[in-house]
Amino acid sequence: MTHTFTTRTLDITTGSRETVYDLTEACAEFLREVAAGRDGLLNVFAPHATTGLAVLETGAGSDDDLLAALHDLLPADDRWRHRHGTPGHGRDHVLPAIVPPHATLPVIGGRLELGTWQSVVLVDTNVDNPHRRVRLSFLG
């Protein structure tokens, strides 16, 4: 059986607000172009020290609940030793320890195998950097 590896980088603008940015359609489009109906794995990676990736329901309040929970866990105040940037920016550097900057997801028949309400999202609490890259890699 022959395996192929294909990768692409997405350029994302998250803006100047904390956000949960839905990547699901971009992942699906990438797989339509490269998976050719094969089974395999999609790896999603954000090469940033202040973002994470998650799989969760969006549009029904869960994305806002996630940001609220992160505010409770990682308050944007002066407690952080990492002090450059906007006040509380140090918490953004702790985020990837809680919301990792990677996810590996199953691909079946060339399609992302997610649950009914699951979406792949970029979690970005860093308001100092509105430009992000996300690497999509398919092995199948």
Side-chain angles (χ1 to χ4, degrees), residues 12-107:
I12 309 278
T13 299
T14 56
S16 59
R17 293 183 25 206
E18 296 178 2
T19 191
V20 174
Y21 186 96
D22 196 336
L23 298 168
T24 310
E25 184 52 38
C27 292
E29 180 180 327
F30 172 69
L31 291 171
R32 282 191 294 273
E33 293 175 18
V34 304
R38 295 188 311 271
D39 295 348
L41 294 172
L42 175 67
N43 181 264
V44 186
F45 177 69
H48 299 283
T50 59
T51 63
L53 291 156
V55 176
L56 78 155
E57 179 180 8
T58 60
S62 297
D63 35 358
D64 291 331
D65 288 341
L66 174 58
L67 291 175
L70 290 171
H71 273 276
D72 290 345
L73 289 169
L74 304 170
D77 58 24
D78 64 357
R79 73 183 70 203
W80 307 101
R81 290 179 184 94
H82 188 108
R83 294 188 183 265
H84 76 84
T86 57
H89 174 65
R91 76 185 190 113
D92 301 326
H93 288 274
V94 176
L95 173 76
I98 295 170
V99 182
H102 57 86
T104 301
L105 306 163
V107 176

